[in-house]
Amino acid sequence: MARCLITGVAGFIGSALARAVLAQGDQVRGIDNFATGKRENLGEILTQMDFRQVDLLDLEALREACVEVDYVLHEAAIPSVPKSVLDPLGSNRANVDGTVNLLVAARDAKVKRVVYAASSSAYGDTPTLPKREDMTPNPISPYAVAKLASEHYMISFYRCYGLETVALRYFNIFGPRQDPPSPYSGVLAKFITRMLRGEQPAIFGDGEQSRDFTYIDNAVEANLLACKAPAGQAAGQVFNVATGRRVTLNETFELLQGLTSYTGQPGYGPERGGDIKHSLADIAKAKAGLGYKVEVDFEEGLRRTVQWYRGR
Ligand code: UD1
């Protein structure tokens, strides 16, 4: 039985990972500072894990959290492009300083492997699609810079100290438990909750921007595969985690009209600063290196997500 330390365990992705790790019979130690995570995301699994309220800026607490840990799944972050534009220092502290602290603690505790929640935002607004891992990154927002910097720290700790690290560049992960709508929530969580209440969703720009929206189960599977993949294929590497298909916000809105019975139109407003226009992944490297495949496609993911929000 392995022991996994999940950072950001009370978040949308962290709590889904915890459920999957427990379901395969392994142990979970989870940390969260509740900056964006919610205790309610843990629900029934809180008593099945070793939960600690810890901030990534507390190195001593991280050292204790890493004792006898096999794998670290590092999801904790302030995961918002617009928030980072407003507060670049806060973004850097949580997304970079916190990551370096965790890497030092994991290295000293001789953890087997650290898997990192990197971001497709690192690619920025380069015209070439799909995005491949060997393209030169061109981040726009402070958030994207922070995520890319931490990705480089992952690779550095492998090269300098031999700590096995794997960076997974998530492309717009969505699904149950994604932030209830705040100004910083992901677009699908906002669209779905608004449309189910019969309220008009807001589209920033013309709605022709596109994303490779990826259902949460695919990201969870990628993490489990990244723990087990042979070091020669995975350690010190970066992998896209996505579906290899993009949809526009306008298309997404239409699909959601069918699923939520919302009959109105979206409200169009100005584009959001720091945004990229299009995002689409090439997932060949993850397929070859991790054995990754898309388990749940976009439409099925949307259906499951709408169903979950409807049940709340
Ligand atoms: C998202 C993630 C980020 C992740 C990145 C790559 C969130 C909050 N952010 O960033 O952590 O690193 O994907 O995987 O999940 N929009 C609207 N109306 C709204 C909200 C957003 O039109 O009410 C638009 C935005 O302007 C943008 C698009 O929808 O064009 C997607 O925005 P968002 O869901 O915030 O995701 P990303 O910025 O792509």
Side-chain angles (χ1 to χ4, degrees):
M1 188 188 286
R3 180 181 283 127
C4 291
L5 171 66
I6 302 176
T7 73
V9 74
F12 154 53
I13 299 176
S15 62
L17 280 171
R19 284 182 172 80
V21 170
L22 289 169
Q24 68 179 16
D26 290 323
Q27 291 181 357
V28 172
R29 183 175 294 154
I31 62 172
D32 208 294
N33 68 351
F34 295 117
T36 59
K38 307 257 179 317
R39 208 173 274 273
E40 70 192 49
N41 285 340
L42 296 174
E44 81 290 356
I45 58 168
L46 182 57
T47 54
Q48 300 168 35
M49 70 166 92
D50 170 6
F51 176 76
R52 304 172 185 194
Q53 186 166 346
V54 166
D55 192 291
L56 290 178
L57 298 179
D58 184 348
L59 179 58
E60 279 319 304
L62 290 181
R63 288 190 185 284
E64 284 166 29
C66 283
V67 171
E68 290 178 355
V69 160
D70 299 296
Y71 304 104
V72 176
L73 306 177
H74 178 32
E75 311 305 307
I78 297 185
S80 165
V81 170
K83 205 166 185 173
S84 79
V85 175
L86 290 172
D87 180 18
L89 285 172
S91 171
N92 194 75
R93 270 193 298 274
N95 300 330
V96 182
D97 294 349
T99 299
V100 182
N101 278 343
L102 180 68
L103 281 169
V104 167
R107 176 200 65 188
D108 294 351
K110 304 206 168 4
V111 160
K112 284 187 190 143
R113 192 171 285 185
V114 178
V115 180
Y116 175 58
S119 170
S120 63
S121 58
Y123 290 109
D125 225 354
T126 45
T128 318
L129 294 175
K131 308 296 187 196
R132 288 168 44 103
E133 294 85 343
D134 56 8
M135 288 173 174
T136 307
N138 187 21
I140 298 173
S141 63
Y143 169 77
V145 172
K147 279 282 162 180
L148 179 61
S150 282
E151 197 182 273
H152 284 300
Y153 272 115
M154 290 291 148
I155 299 166
S156 167
F157 270 62
Y158 178 58
R159 290 189 178 153
C160 295
Y161 311 112
L163 173 63
E164 291 183 12
T165 57
V166 184
L168 303 178
R169 281 188 184 163
Y170 294 161
F171 281 67
N172 292 76
I173 311 300
F174 73 99
R177 297 188 185 80
Q178 192 165 24
D179 250 0
S182 80
Y184 305 116
S185 302
V187 65
L188 295 184
K190 289 172 86 177
F191 275 20
I192 294 170
T193 47
R194 289 192 71 85
M195 290 168 79
L196 281 175
R197 286 199 299 252
E199 295 168 8
Q200 184 181 50
I203 290 186
F204 306 145
D206 63 6
E208 286 306 299
Q209 65 264 54
S210 60
R211 294 291 185 271
D212 191 335
F213 289 112
T214 305
Y215 188 65
I216 179 72
D217 287 18
N218 302 313
V220 166
E221 193 55 28
N223 275 272
L224 301 180
L225 291 166
C227 290
K228 299 289 177 210
Q233 286 167 218
Q237 295 293 320
V238 175
F239 297 95
N240 290 340
V241 171
T243 71
R245 196 188 130 200
R246 70 189 168 98
V247 281
T248 68
L249 290 190
N250 288 329
E251 289 164 344
T252 303
F253 171 79
E254 278 175 28
L255 281 169
L256 284 174
Q257 274 189 315
L259 292 170
T260 63
S261 311
Y262 177 78
T263 51
Q265 290 303 310
Y268 290 90
E271 273 182 32
R272 196 175 69 177
D275 268 356
I276 57 169
K277 187 79 180 171
H278 300 295
S279 180
L280 171 69
D282 183 325
I283 55 174
K285 186 175 174 188
K287 283 182 175 168
L290 303 177
Y292 171 80
K293 62 179 191 309
V294 180
E295 308 253 353
V296 180
D297 69 15
F298 177 60
E299 282 83 358
E300 175 60 19
L302 264 192
R303 266 191 292 279
R304 293 187 193 182
T305 308
V306 169
Q307 198 173 20
W308 185 84
Y309 280 105
R310 190 175 262 136
R312 289 207 331 155

